[in-house]
Amino acid sequence: MATEQPPDGRAKEAGEPRERPRIGLVLTGGGARAAYQVGLVRHLAARMPEFHFDVLTGVSAGAINASFLASHPGSAAEATEDLSRVWLDLTPDHVFRDDGLSLGGMVVRWLLNLASGGLRYRPQVRGLVDTSPLGSHLGRVLGAEAANGRTLPGIADNVARGRLDAVAVTTVEWSTGHTVTWVQGRDIKTWERPKRRSERALLTLDHVLASASLPLIFPAVRIGNAWHGDGGVRLTSPLSPALHLGCDRLIAVSTRHEPTHLTSADPVYPPPAQFAGVLLNAVFLDQLDQDANRLELVNGLLARMPESERGSFRLVDLVLLRPSEDLGRLATRFEPRLPKALRFMTRGLGTRDTKSPDLLSLLMFQPDYIRAMIEVGERDAEARHAEIAALVGD
């Protein structure tokens, strides 16, 4: 198990010294690929049923999983089973309107908007798809009632019962381009770094929806007086929120497969889906690897220093779990079962002509594909059980 330290040497800033390490879970994005994260949670519930995380942080689709686990009133096993059921019952029409009329209408409005030359009364478009079904579905799943301001009441209950120290959800504020981490918990000290900051908040459904809104594809969400979107856009340090919240040990889950060797050149010109997949990976997923590498470098430096000279700096253990299979290529196996209108649109972007259909996998909210990803995640966690147990066991 690699021992790694905060990328920018951040000190423990939350709460008083503890008798045991504070353990956190970091969940990144990836659209539908976030179902892979459920495999780790299932593994922990099966092998370590009494274990729970002190801190949960999530961004993009990972914010949905983090918020669900943070607000669930039951045991770890019950929370895991319910989270699995949420994902396995998910279909595209729970996330966005996937009928031909809606998708076609969105495309027409985009074309009219682009051809309007900036006319004042041009058609209003805020995303490539209509995600109103996702808001309704997550509202029911998370118990975010409109009468309660769409807050997630289970989080406050778990914090009060001592089952949770803090949960954090990250968004990007489109007007300033700043990354904002919204934190709910106890003994919270906020932080501010260049282009990123934290704010205390009672987390609501809007925070979760904003964090999961893929730019241009999903519409932005209004929080307060500003529009917010997917927090992975400028989150250069995905481990940062958990470290600021005082974690000494971390498990981070990436949804990006790391190939063991470079593939040979392809003489065919890349289709739009290939460009989109590479860009989305670069924006949302690649930063975790860089952050983990910086953590390891700082850990190495601290390990060479006497403990008395480290000041507020500390060693932080990390287990980084990633898919052993390419989840993009796995999606092609289930692509023919997509709704016709959505399949027509994605094929028009060239998802069948690329060797890395990562764009397709982001939108592949198909129960059979989701089940396959959960199984891959569970197998990968089992293969890394010795490292995971060493990190959380004592």
Side-chain angles (χ1 to χ4, degrees):
M1 175 177 60
T3 55
E4 295 155 340
Q5 163 67 17
D8 50 5
R10 293 180 292 273
K12 183 175 180 177
E13 298 181 339
E16 300 299 322
R18 296 158 54 92
E19 294 181 357
R20 65 175 181 83
R22 177 172 285 178
I23 305 175
L25 176 64
V26 177
L27 300 176
T28 59
R33 282 188 283 178
Y36 172 80
Q37 299 164 354
V38 181
L40 168 70
V41 180
R42 287 178 62 88
H43 168 80
L44 289 173
R47 298 291 295 268
M48 307 174 189
E50 302 301 321
F51 172 76
H52 68 275
F53 288 100
D54 303 301
V55 173
L56 295 164
T57 72
V59 63
S60 194
I64 297 174
N65 289 335
S67 300
F68 184 94
L69 295 172
S71 61
H72 197 281
S75 65
E78 292 170 336
T80 298
E81 284 307 308
D82 287 346
L83 181 59
S84 300
R85 192 175 303 112
V86 166
W87 276 100
L88 291 172
D89 290 343
L90 199 63
T91 55
D93 61 341
H94 284 134
V95 182
F96 49 82
R97 292 184 59 187
D98 61 354
D99 58 281
L101 183 62
S102 176
L103 292 175
M106 284 290 187
V107 171
V108 169
R109 281 193 288 274
W110 271 102
L111 292 174
L112 291 175
N113 193 278
L114 292 172
S116 68
L119 292 176
R120 184 174 181 179
Y121 299 105
R122 63 187 182 277
Q124 288 292 318
V125 288
R126 293 182 174 177
L128 190 59
V129 294
D130 178 358
T131 57
S132 56
L134 179 62
S136 301
H137 183 65
L138 283 183
R140 293 190 298 270
V141 167
L142 296 173
E145 302 294 338
N148 298 324
R150 291 157 61 101
T151 59
L152 311 182
I155 295 177
D157 292 341
N158 284 330
V159 171
R161 294 164 59 188
R163 298 179 57 187
L164 179 71
D165 289 346
V167 58
V169 168
T170 300
T171 66
V172 63
E173 189 178 67
W174 285 120
S175 59
T176 63
H178 288 189
T179 296
V180 183
T181 297
W182 309 88
V183 187
Q184 182 175 348
R186 58 169 172 265
D187 300 326
I188 302 299
K189 291 185 179 181
T190 57
W191 64 89
E192 187 167 355
R193 296 291 186 271
K195 296 294 184 181
R196 54 187 171 96
R197 70 181 189 273
S198 68
E199 292 191 17
R200 295 186 185 90
L202 289 177
L203 292 182
T204 67
L205 177 62
D206 290 334
H207 291 102
V208 180
L209 289 172
S211 185
S213 59
L214 291 166
L216 299 181
I217 300 177
F218 290 3
V221 177
R222 194 177 186 89
I223 300 176
N225 295 321
W227 292 96
H228 289 254
D230 197 311
V233 170
R234 295 196 74 166
L235 187 58
T236 56
S237 299
L239 302 177
S240 171
L243 296 169
H244 279 297
L245 292 170
C247 289
D248 307 288
R249 303 179 182 183
L250 293 175
I251 296 179
V253 187
S254 172
T255 58
R256 174 79 185 275
H257 171 69
E258 187 68 24
T260 56
H261 61 278
L262 297 176
T263 57
S264 58
D266 191 343
V268 179
Y269 191 80
Q274 179 76 25
F275 291 118
V278 172
L279 288 173
L280 289 170
N281 283 334
V283 171
F284 297 110
L285 303 178
D286 291 353
Q287 296 297 336
L288 180 58
D289 294 314
Q290 299 297 326
D291 207 18
N293 185 59
R294 289 192 293 266
L295 190 61
E296 184 175 9
L297 291 174
V298 177
N299 256 5
L301 293 174
L302 289 176
R304 294 177 175 87
M305 296 173 58
E307 189 170 351
S308 60
E309 297 181 10
R310 294 176 186 171
S312 60
F313 294 86
R314 72 191 189 283
L315 293 164
V316 177
D317 293 340
L318 171 69
V319 170
L320 176 58
L321 188 71
R322 66 169 65 255
S324 58
E325 299 182 30
D326 189 329
L327 301 183
R329 293 187 179 184
L330 180 64
T332 60
R333 188 188 308 169
F334 305 97
E335 186 267 353
R337 303 173 195 176
L338 279 173
K340 290 182 178 179
L342 180 60
R343 187 172 68 239
F344 179 83
M345 185 175 70
T346 56
R347 286 182 177 180
L349 294 172
T351 53
R352 289 200 301 177
D353 303 321
T354 174
K355 294 182 178 180
S356 301
D358 291 327
L359 175 63
L360 176 65
S361 66
L362 294 176
L363 304 174
M364 195 76 176
F365 296 97
Q366 287 290 106
D368 42 11
Y369 176 55
I370 288 170
R371 182 181 299 277
M373 284 192 295
I374 293 176
E375 291 173 353
V376 173
E378 208 163 359
R379 288 197 303 269
D380 291 346
E382 182 65 36
R384 303 280 299 279
H385 176 73
E387 296 175 70
I388 295 171
L391 185 137
V392 307
D394 59 352

